[in-house]
Amino acid sequence: QYVTLSHCWGTSQFYKLTASTFIELTEGIEKARLPQTFQDAINVAKALGVKLIWIDSLCIFQDSAEDWFHEAPLMSEIYGGSICNIAASSSVDSAAGALAVRDISLELVRPCVFPAAWSNHEPHVLYPKSFWQDSLHHTPLIQRAWVVQEILLAPRIVYLHERQLFWECYQMRACEGFPGGIPIDSEAQTTERVLLSGIKAPVLEEFGRQIFPFERSIIPDRNFIIEMARNFWIKTIRHYNSCQLTNQKDKLIALSGVTKPLETLLDDICPAGLWAKQFVPQLLWKISPATGPIIRLTASSVPSWSWASFTG
């Protein structure tokens, strides 16, 4: 059993796995030589009772293109095979640390509960509907393109946020302010984490059972499941294209961890980011001006008819 770490690299120089540090790392180094974010993640892993942690810059040779090309396509297995992903949400780089010093004068956001005016009814609960998104989606980490697949593939995630801890699995999202679960409407739940639990399913029927966990006796129509999976893909690349990617040559490989299980699920291939069985309709794409400057990746090997040939 092991956990993984999602973090922002930033511009600071820190200890990495290279040909020159390989022997030293295999023999063991002092934790103090690692950047603060790594140290914090190790402490969290220990608190969870897990002895192993996978960190990209310490597990992939940073001076070997060959090793990178070998490991990059394995992200679906690496993050999907972990028991939990530790997300350093608010850290801008590896030196910043993942466990912020909190201002204890700030109250946690808690639900507003008031009793019903009539008997035999549950109390009413008021809560900000977009609380999860407002809290996490604008953090430095979630703006990283590589992190999109890391978050999607991990079975559980602990977000080390500057205000409070957040955590989620395929069935629930919660935080310190809502430890019993953040109330969300059924549509959002279906289109987000519950849907994600099925993308690694080997067959469509099992995918259907996972996205409808309370209707185990019902196998949804095959075409309906395929349509849900394709809509999930469209939503994913829309979010992915709004994120920051340092090396634009990584545009497709940084999402391959999601593409790979979907290829198995849909019995399809995804050349240059477009699904073969829906190739012609998917040529009808456009770039939203709200995503930032639009730049054609002329040095990219991605064909011009693909959405991946542009930034944004």
Side-chain angles (χ1 to χ4, degrees):
Q1 291 187 333
Y2 65 95
V3 297
T4 53
L5 172 66
S6 289
H7 65 104
C8 291
W9 281 46
T11 57
S12 61
Q13 297 299 313
F14 55 91
Y15 195 94
K16 305 179 183 74
L17 171 62
T18 63
S20 61
T21 62
F22 173 68
I23 298 299
E24 188 176 39
L25 278 168
T26 56
E27 294 176 347
I29 64 170
E30 293 292 329
K31 186 174 68 173
R33 296 182 61 184
L34 298 176
Q36 190 60 50
T37 296
F38 293 7
Q39 295 184 44
D40 290 343
I42 291 171
N43 291 335
V44 171
K46 286 184 176 180
L48 293 172
V50 182
K51 297 181 179 180
L52 301 175
I53 182 169
W54 189 93
I55 301 176
D56 49 10
S57 58
L58 295 178
C59 295
I60 301 175
F61 280 93
Q62 299 304 302
D63 56 353
S64 170
E66 181 182 357
D67 192 47
W68 187 89
F69 280 112
H70 176 266
E71 296 294 324
L74 301 179
M75 294 302 106
S76 60
E77 287 85 358
I78 292 172
Y79 284 90
S82 70
I83 64 169
C84 181
N85 181 40
I86 300 170
S89 303
S90 302
S91 304
V92 295
D93 61 29
S94 297
L99 299 173
V101 178
R102 295 192 188 175
D103 184 348
I104 60 174
S105 66
L106 298 176
E107 289 285 341
L108 290 176
V109 176
R110 299 185 185 279
C112 177
V113 182
F114 60 94
W118 49 91
S119 59
N120 300 324
H121 282 79
E122 295 292 328
H124 294 283
V125 179
L126 298 180
Y127 59 91
K129 190 174 181 180
S130 60
F131 175 63
W132 181 273
Q133 180 173 352
D134 292 344
S135 299
L136 292 175
H137 285 203
H138 301 292
T139 57
L141 182 69
I142 303 302
Q143 298 304 307
R144 281 195 62 219
W146 273 97
V147 172
V148 172
Q149 67 174 4
E150 297 170 9
I151 296 299
L152 294 181
L153 294 168
R156 305 169 191 86
I157 308 158
V158 175
Y159 298 91
L160 307 181
H161 192 271
E162 61 186 356
R163 294 290 298 274
Q164 60 178 306
L165 291 178
F166 292 79
W167 59 93
E168 67 174 321
C169 61
Y170 291 137
Q171 280 73 45
M172 187 178 75
R173 286 172 166 172
C175 64
E176 292 177 66
F178 295 85
I182 296 175
I184 54 177
D185 57 65
S186 58
E187 180 181 0
Q189 188 172 6
T190 300
T191 56
E192 294 186 4
R193 288 300 290 181
V194 174
L195 180 59
L196 302 182
S197 67
I199 70 170
K200 292 177 288 185
V203 293
L204 283 171
E205 288 74 16
E206 180 59 25
F207 177 80
R209 292 189 181 97
Q210 290 190 52
I211 62 177
F212 296 102
F214 303 110
E215 300 291 342
R216 293 288 180 177
S217 61
I218 299 176
I219 300 178
D221 178 73
R222 179 184 180 91
N223 292 331
F224 175 71
I225 298 172
I226 291 176
E227 185 65 20
M228 288 190 70
R230 295 197 186 282
N231 288 337
F232 162 74
W233 170 255
I234 293 172
K235 182 177 180 179
T236 298
I237 61 173
R238 184 180 296 124
H239 169 59
Y240 177 72
N241 281 322
S242 70
C243 296
Q244 301 167 1
L245 187 64
T246 302
N247 190 343
Q248 294 298 327
K249 292 181 179 180
D250 297 342
K251 193 72 178 280
L252 290 175
I253 194 68
L255 200 59
S256 62
V258 176
T259 306
K260 188 175 180 180
L262 279 177
E263 286 182 333
T264 302
L265 176 69
L266 298 173
D267 188 26
D268 202 352
I269 57 175
C270 191
L274 278 71
W275 294 95
K277 292 181 180 179
Q278 294 285 318
F279 188 79
V280 174
Q282 289 185 59
L283 289 172
L284 299 174
W285 53 267
K286 66 177 182 179
I287 301 175
S288 171
T291 58
I294 300 172
I295 302 174
R296 172 78 169 91
L297 305 179
T298 55
S300 172
S301 60
V302 180
S304 60
W305 42 258
S306 170
W307 55 266
S309 64
F310 290 83
T311 61

